[in-house]
Amino acid sequence: MHIPDGILPIPITAGGYAATAAATWYSVRKIEQQENPRRHVPKASLLTAAFFVVSWIHIPVPPTSVHLVLNGLLGALLGYFAFPAILIGLFFQAVMFQHGGLTTLGINAVIMGLPAIVAHYVFRMRRLGNHDSRTRTAVFGFFSGAVALGISVAMFVAILLGNLPADFDPAIERAAVYTLAVAHVPLIAIEGVITALLTTFLRRVQPELLDDV
Amino acid sequence: MHTKWNIALCLLFLAILGLGLPTPALAHGARIQYTVNVAIELVATYDNGDPMAGAQYVIYAPDDPSTPWLAGECDDEGRFSFTPDSSRPGTWVVQVRQAGHGDIVHIPVGQDTTVAGSTGGYTTLQIVLMAACVVWGSVGTALYFSPRRRG
């Protein structure tokens, strides 16, 4: 899911940085509008660390393997804090794990960060009709985790297929991209379940963590 | 009588010449030429160790970095090899790509030829230590910003 250096043309990577700058600015602005933004920093910081580490956890899905992303979980639990959290996590992943690259940091933040904000709004839908039950938390938690990763995979596929390189055989590359996308289908369900389990667990033991999201 | 001897000598001379004709004259100096064509073997793997089976590779020569010199696919173990043109010394560029993932390696050929090399290159211990530092930094940030209980 992390696009490394040298894969995309410069205009796309530059556009990714521009979109990331705009999304970061908007997220910070929304964070500043909150009553007490500092209150969420510990939660955001710990989830940044979790996001950073989970990309190291590979799940074999023959003929390939995928790794956890958890951008939907961050979106559900952090709201607008998710975008800067994912950006920081991606930076450390690129520098230390060589997951992604510095030139593609912007486009990777778009691919994983923007769906996290969508997940935030999906998770908030559990409160529609002022009926916030455990079941609704689980259902919307599942969908926030699944939808975010689904959108990320769709964006990843669209960006790659829209920028197939001239020097490589496009048919082989296209088939490989589709294979990788299909391999993410089980992961979409897994991340939905993880998000549902964690949100319902937090709702039970520390409901104030879900108060503002 | 004199004429008879002359004819005999001529025949003898021709016979000796005839015997010697099929064998070319051998010189006494020798010369050996050699050209080294070093084949470069590459293995492309993902960072979890899985081979990049069937991944595409493109090789660019040092004097023409925009036109592919050779292209192909890795085998099931992510291996492929090529023999660079020794008349084109410099840095050969090899790009491997599969489903939007891949890497680029620069291989010096000529006087700076190295026996082995790789991209990336942190050991697992280094990665674990660096990851631990980042996690600790995040935990520290969380502790710093967590609301303090006044007792």
Side-chain angles (χ1 to χ4, degrees):
Chain A
M1 282 290 289
H2 296 63
I3 300 177
D5 294 325
I7 295 287
L8 293 175
I10 291 170
I12 300 294
T13 54
Y17 264 107
T20 294
T24 310
W25 171 79
Y26 186 71
S27 299
V28 171
R29 194 161 154 263
K30 295 290 276 186
I31 289 165
E32 279 180 341
Q33 287 170 356
Q34 292 178 7
E35 202 175 311
N36 183 10
R38 283 172 69 103
R39 197 163 65 88
H40 299 289
V41 173
K43 186 170 65 169
S45 183
L46 291 178
L47 280 166
T48 304
F51 175 82
F52 165 69
V53 171
V54 291
S55 82
W56 201 245
I57 300 171
H58 291 269
I59 299 167
V61 181
T64 181
S65 75
V66 294
H67 63 79
L68 289 172
V69 181
L70 293 189
N71 57 340
L73 176 73
L74 263 71
L77 293 181
L78 296 180
Y80 278 94
F81 271 96
F83 196 88
I86 285 172
L87 182 61
I88 293 166
L90 284 172
F91 171 75
F92 283 119
Q93 285 172 348
V95 173
M96 297 185 173
F97 296 163
Q98 279 85 49
H99 288 181
L102 288 180
T103 60
T104 50
L105 179 62
I107 198 76
N108 283 331
V110 168
I111 290 173
M112 290 176 230
L114 292 184
I117 293 173
V118 175
H120 163 59
Y121 283 105
V122 170
F123 191 57
R124 275 177 67 161
M125 284 165 67
R126 76 191 188 283
R127 288 188 177 152
L128 285 176
N130 287 326
H131 184 68
D132 183 10
S133 68
R134 186 168 170 266
T135 313
R136 285 174 76 101
T137 302
V139 168
F140 286 98
F142 176 85
F143 279 113
S144 60
V147 165
L149 188 58
I151 296 173
S152 291
V153 172
M155 289 170 81
F156 177 80
V157 170
I159 289 168
L160 285 178
L161 294 188
N163 297 282
L164 286 175
D167 294 346
F168 291 88
D169 186 337
I172 296 174
E173 181 65 8
R174 201 176 290 122
V177 170
Y178 285 139
T179 304
L180 188 65
V182 170
H184 276 85
V185 172
L187 189 68
I188 289 171
I190 290 169
E191 297 218 354
V193 170
I194 290 173
T195 310
L197 288 174
L198 262 169
T199 47
T200 46
F201 175 72
L202 287 175
R203 186 179 183 276
R204 188 160 55 86
V205 297
Q206 216 154 12
E208 65 271 17
L209 282 176
L210 303 179
D211 279 352
D212 299 319
V213 289
Chain B
M1 189 72 185
H2 194 72
T3 317
K4 207 185 268 184
W5 274 107
N6 276 347
I7 292 167
L9 276 172
C10 280
L11 283 173
L12 186 67
F13 179 73
L14 282 172
I16 290 167
L17 200 67
L19 283 171
L21 264 181
T23 316
L26 292 171
H28 293 283
R31 195 171 70 152
I32 301 172
Q33 283 184 308
Y34 77 95
T35 309
V36 178
N37 285 319
V38 181
I40 296 174
E41 276 190 25
L42 298 100
V43 185
T45 56
Y46 291 105
D47 54 8
N48 64 345
D50 289 348
M52 292 182 74
Q56 295 188 76
Y57 66 82
V58 172
I59 301 165
Y60 300 92
D63 52 355
D64 191 2
S66 58
T67 313
W69 179 77
L70 184 71
E73 286 178 50
C74 302
D75 67 11
D76 289 344
E77 293 173 341
R79 291 178 185 278
F80 63 100
S81 65
F82 72 101
T83 306
D85 186 346
S86 55
S87 67
R88 298 163 87 173
T91 303
W92 290 68
V93 179
V94 181
Q95 184 177 11
V96 181
R97 174 178 172 134
Q98 187 175 44
H101 295 79
D103 206 354
I104 298 171
V105 63
H106 297 84
I107 305 171
V109 173
Q111 288 188 335
D112 300 328
T113 304
T114 50
V115 176
S118 70
T119 59
Y122 289 124
T123 63
T124 308
L125 181 66
Q126 283 173 317
I127 288 171
V128 169
L129 276 174
M130 290 189 298
C133 290
V134 173
V135 170
W136 173 239
S138 301
V139 172
T141 309
L143 290 172
Y144 180 79
F145 280 95
S146 58
R148 290 177 191 162
R149 294 188 180 88
R150 292 165 194 268

